[in-house]
Amino acid sequence: TGYAPAWVQGGQPIPQALALIAVFRKADKNGLDPDDYDASRWDERIRALRGSSSGRVVAFFDVALTICTMRYVSALHIGRISPQHFKFGLRMEQKKVDLPQFLRDRVMTALNLDAVLNALEPPFGGYRRTEQALAHYIELARIDDGENLPAVTKPVNPGQSYFGVPRLVRLLRLVGDLPADANLTGDSSAYGGPLVDAVKRFQRRHGLDDDGRLGPATIKQLNVPLRDRVRQLQLTLERWRWLPTEFSAPPIIVNIPDFRLRVLDENNKVALDMRVIVGKAMRTQTPIFTRDMTYVVLRPYWNVPPGILRNEIVPAIQRDRGYLAREKYEVTTHD
């Protein structure tokens, strides 16, 4: 800008500067921290700017807004942290933008700043649904009483009594698994009826067996504070931003925690959806990467990896000599 202020004219912030500050203040809706963009400091900076003719004050305001805008654009487009820090095979080079040029050409002259910034976000339906879920759970965490359900040593079956039923009803209604108009029994400790169906819905949403029983694993998930769910959603948005947004062909995306593979079409709509098997978090963890798929093998021949052979198959054979035959394994030699 020829060393002229980018965001100040006549001692006043230009409209785009004020619009950016408003965006920073609501950065939490995108799963970002408003304080990373000095959200709480801008009122004081604007007052200082309007009450002074000092070039130093103007320069400070201008540089601060430029830095915060670059930081926000980068975080929104490619994430706050590089996935390579976690040894993920996701490359960010193709997603990086020339930040000074982007600010000069797209932001400083923007008539619709929201449209410019929205175009930086991942173009996937799952990302937008996660944003909506985040806004919803931020509100739920604000109004939830945070009471924990009583722990169980063995599962509570439908028809049995459970002292945590009142809290269970409140929580499942709050998160939407139990309809508000569900007709529940008058017994405050009876676990049954629509409440069982609500627990099954909760179990399906959290990757549990939807048997309707209140076992330790289900109680553990029910007792996760809603503020922790908010954090999970924030981190999920971060991981969405690590994905490429341009593909040489319609992409195939495996959602590892969801155990699902989805094929997208040219408009990023789901064209094919199927279940997949993924590795466990330790030892057999599924790698995270992006590559071009060059061929497909139907009914592939699978050899047991040495780690699985050593840690799982051999101990199973030692416990049960009929294990290989029952599981239809084929034993081969190197001859």
Side-chain angles (χ1 to χ4, degrees):
T1 60
Y3 296 99
W7 309 105
V8 180
Q9 288 183 0
Q12 300 289 331
I14 64 174
Q16 288 84 354
L18 296 176
L20 280 169
I21 291 168
V23 167
F24 298 157
R25 287 171 173 156
K26 58 181 182 181
D28 55 345
K29 78 178 184 68
N30 302 113
L32 302 173
D33 186 349
D35 283 339
D36 283 348
Y37 318 102
D38 295 352
S40 62
R41 302 181 180 182
W42 289 109
D43 284 342
E44 180 180 349
R45 290 172 178 172
I46 291 173
R47 284 195 298 269
L49 180 68
R50 289 172 173 168
S52 173
S53 58
S54 167
R56 184 181 182 87
V57 173
V58 173
F60 178 84
F61 181 93
D62 213 64
V63 171
L65 187 57
T66 297
I67 291 172
C68 287
T69 304
M70 287 184 173
R71 184 180 296 151
Y72 181 81
V73 166
S74 179
L76 194 65
H77 186 55
I78 64 175
R80 298 171 61 197
I81 301 171
S82 170
Q84 294 178 10
H85 290 320
F86 305 100
K87 303 188 185 305
F88 291 172
L90 302 174
R91 297 191 174 278
M92 312 303 292
E93 287 79 6
Q94 64 175 340
K95 292 191 66 178
K96 291 182 178 179
V97 297
D98 184 326
L99 291 172
Q101 182 178 355
F102 185 85
L103 265 62
R104 185 172 56 248
D105 297 346
R106 301 291 307 280
V107 177
M108 290 173 57
T109 59
L111 299 178
N112 186 343
L113 183 63
D114 285 340
V116 172
L117 296 177
N118 287 342
L120 291 168
E121 298 182 82
F124 306 113
Y127 175 84
R128 293 299 179 186
R129 290 192 296 273
T130 304
E131 278 191 322
Q132 294 167 3
L134 174 61
H136 183 54
Y137 268 80
I138 287 174
E139 178 61 19
L140 296 186
R142 186 185 66 82
I143 62 178
D144 183 42
D145 58 25
E147 179 186 350
N148 272 348
L149 290 164
V152 296
T153 55
K154 60 181 181 178
V156 177
N157 294 310
Q160 295 181 328
S161 294
Y162 176 57
F163 291 118
V165 163
R167 164 59 177 168
L168 183 63
V169 169
R170 292 197 309 276
L171 177 61
L172 293 178
R173 276 183 171 153
L174 186 65
V175 298
D177 291 311
L178 180 65
D181 58 354
N183 186 19
L184 301 177
T185 178
D187 186 347
S188 63
S189 65
Y191 174 58
L195 192 54
V196 177
D197 294 332
V199 167
K200 289 181 179 179
R201 282 191 288 272
F202 179 91
Q203 289 171 325
R204 284 194 294 272
R205 291 198 301 112
H206 292 82
L208 302 167
D209 291 335
D210 56 344
D211 55 10
R213 306 168 76 206
L214 294 174
T218 297
I219 296 295
K220 180 180 179 180
Q221 288 296 323
L222 287 163
N223 278 337
V224 172
L226 294 186
R227 64 179 179 274
D228 289 1
R229 299 295 186 200
V230 167
R231 185 59 177 156
Q232 287 177 326
L233 289 164
Q234 291 171 336
L235 295 175
T236 300
L237 289 173
E238 173 76 2
R239 291 180 70 145
W240 270 112
R241 295 184 187 110
W242 295 346
L243 295 181
T245 55
E246 296 181 1
F247 304 91
S248 57
I252 299 170
I253 298 178
V254 176
N255 187 331
I256 295 173
D258 194 29
F259 298 87
R260 305 296 300 189
L261 176 150
R262 295 177 177 91
V263 180
L264 306 186
D265 62 17
E266 292 80 359
N267 300 313
N268 287 321
K269 304 294 183 182
V270 177
L272 178 66
D273 184 337
M274 66 177 67
R275 288 177 57 82
V276 293
I277 295 174
V278 305
K280 296 181 179 180
M282 303 299 290
R283 294 198 307 274
T284 57
Q285 182 174 350
T286 297
I288 296 176
F289 64 95
T290 56
R291 294 288 189 279
D292 286 337
M293 179 175 285
T294 55
Y295 57 86
V296 176
V297 179
L298 303 178
R299 298 182 63 122
Y301 200 94
W302 181 71
N303 294 306
V304 180
I308 295 179
L309 180 64
R310 181 173 55 252
N311 297 318
E312 299 180 25
I313 304 299
V314 170
I317 296 171
Q318 291 172 336
R319 292 192 300 268
D320 178 6
R321 297 182 63 84
Y323 175 81
L324 291 178
R326 187 174 63 257
E327 298 297 328
K328 298 182 174 59
Y329 280 102
E330 179 183 355
V331 180
T332 63
T333 68
H334 293 291
D335 296 339

